[in-house]
Amino acid sequence: MYDLIIVAGGCSESTDGSKPRKAAMNTKPTALLISFLLAGALSAQDNLENKAKKAKKKRVPAAMKPVKDTPGLPRVLLIGDSISIGYTVGVRELLLGKANVHRPLTNCGPTTKGVKELDKWLGDKPWDVIHFNFGLHDLKYLGPKGQNLADPKGEGSHQQVPLADYEKHLKTMVARLEKTGARLIWRSTTPVPPGARGRVVGDSAKYNKVAAKIMKERKIAIDDMYSFCMPRLKEIIRPANVHFTPAGSKALAQQAVTAITAALKRRAKSSGR
């Protein structure tokens, strides 16, 4: 008569009630197999996570996608930081069929970056209107080792671009922009709300004052987005943050389009179109 051996926990017992015997099966290969399967499962999970991260990185915001020109329409260039990125799509939608609206495929940052990269952003094609701004990245505070958005009251903290340098850089860029022959629109820097990290409430007005002086001297139109925002700031901006809500960005887009449309009309009139 044959005994049926049941393996459990390294022991075996026969169905005839005799004493348990050591299992004949060696559990070492089984443990190795389980380890191998677990390692494979973890590796597969890692691969999936890496692919998901890469896919996320590849997703390009609509504002940062290149625009193909519609022949016959005027060309408009938006230059600015993340605030302008926020209203770029809105401007394109509002000017659909009326203008080709482009922007540099980057956050244009402070004036130091603008001076270095402006020629690249302008490219080699003509522009009808250029709507531009620099400010929030100039007035923000860095730490003594370049830490971003440092406490303005912290030891060694300093503004990324002091007012005197800001003025100098703006003059340099305005001179270059004037050479394009485009209608220029300076967009004033939007407000810093209470509680926003790395910036001081009221500094936008100081930088805007310097910029306005340059623009008035050069007879450049001003889209005063700062004054547009102030009465409705709580309704359109994120709490303790310089960035705007989606509805806020739409409002800024409408404000920008009003200025751009006026500039396009003046250009068309002056060129006899």
Side-chain angles (χ1 to χ4, degrees):
M1 184 177 180
Y2 294 99
D3 291 338
L4 174 63
I5 298 175
I6 302 170
V7 178
C11 294
S12 63
E13 68 175 53
S14 60
T15 55
D16 64 357
S18 58
K19 253 187 169 182
R21 291 175 294 172
K22 287 187 179 178
M25 182 181 291
N26 188 343
T27 59
K28 191 172 183 181
T30 304
L32 288 172
L33 177 60
I34 293 171
S35 297
F36 176 77
L37 291 172
L38 284 172
L42 290 172
S43 177
Q45 181 66 25
D46 288 342
N47 287 335
L48 287 172
E49 289 177 359
N50 288 334
K51 285 181 181 179
K53 287 177 183 178
K54 286 179 181 178
K56 189 176 181 180
K57 285 181 181 179
K58 287 180 181 178
R59 282 199 290 269
V60 179
M64 307 301 274
K65 292 179 180 177
V67 171
K68 186 176 180 180
D69 280 341
T70 298
L73 294 182
R75 304 182 77 242
V76 174
L77 179 63
L78 304 178
I79 296 176
D81 53 29
S82 56
I83 305 304
S84 74
I85 292 172
Y87 60 67
T88 292
V89 172
V91 171
R92 285 176 179 161
E93 290 173 350
L94 291 168
L95 290 177
L96 185 64
K98 300 175 183 178
N100 298 303
V101 180
H102 298 258
R103 69 160 296 111
L105 303 182
T106 184
N107 182 322
C108 299
T111 52
T112 45
K113 182 176 180 178
V115 169
K116 291 177 183 176
E117 300 190 24
L118 185 58
D119 281 335
K120 180 173 70 175
W121 299 340
L122 293 173
D124 54 7
K125 293 182 180 179
W127 297 104
D128 292 280
V129 172
I130 299 175
H131 182 276
F132 68 108
N133 166 266
F134 295 89
L136 283 178
H137 282 265
D138 295 86
L139 59 81
K140 75 176 179 181
Y141 280 78
L142 303 179
K145 295 182 179 179
Q147 302 95 320
N148 192 35
L149 298 176
D151 180 354
K153 295 179 181 179
E155 186 177 352
S157 292
H158 59 280
Q159 287 182 307
Q160 181 156 230
V161 181
L163 272 172
D165 291 336
Y166 178 73
E167 181 177 15
K168 180 176 68 176
H169 297 157
L170 268 188
K171 285 181 177 178
T172 298
M173 285 188 286
V174 165
R176 175 65 184 92
L177 289 168
E178 287 178 325
K179 290 179 181 179
T180 66
R183 287 273 178 178
L184 303 181
I185 304 170
W186 165 254
R187 190 268 285 168
S188 61
T189 298
T190 48
V192 174
R197 281 198 317 125
R199 294 180 174 93
V200 174
V201 175
D203 276 356
S204 292
K206 295 177 184 177
Y207 279 68
N208 283 335
K209 184 177 179 180
V210 169
K213 181 183 176 184
I214 296 170
M215 305 310 154
K216 286 174 183 176
E217 288 172 355
R218 304 306 306 164
K219 295 182 170 57
I220 292 171
I222 297 177
D223 175 5
D224 193 359
M225 212 168 271
Y226 177 89
S227 294
F228 171 79
C229 290
M230 283 303 291
R232 52 183 64 83
L233 194 60
K234 289 183 180 179
E235 302 165 20
I236 62 177
I237 205 164
R238 300 178 189 276
N241 194 316
V242 295
H243 297 99
F244 291 80
T245 64
S249 289
K250 283 186 178 181
L252 299 190
Q254 182 62 68
Q255 171 72 11
V257 165
T258 300
I260 292 167
T261 300
L264 287 170
K265 287 179 180 177
R266 286 194 298 270
R267 185 170 180 81
K269 187 178 180 180
S270 64
S271 63
R273 285 189 279 179

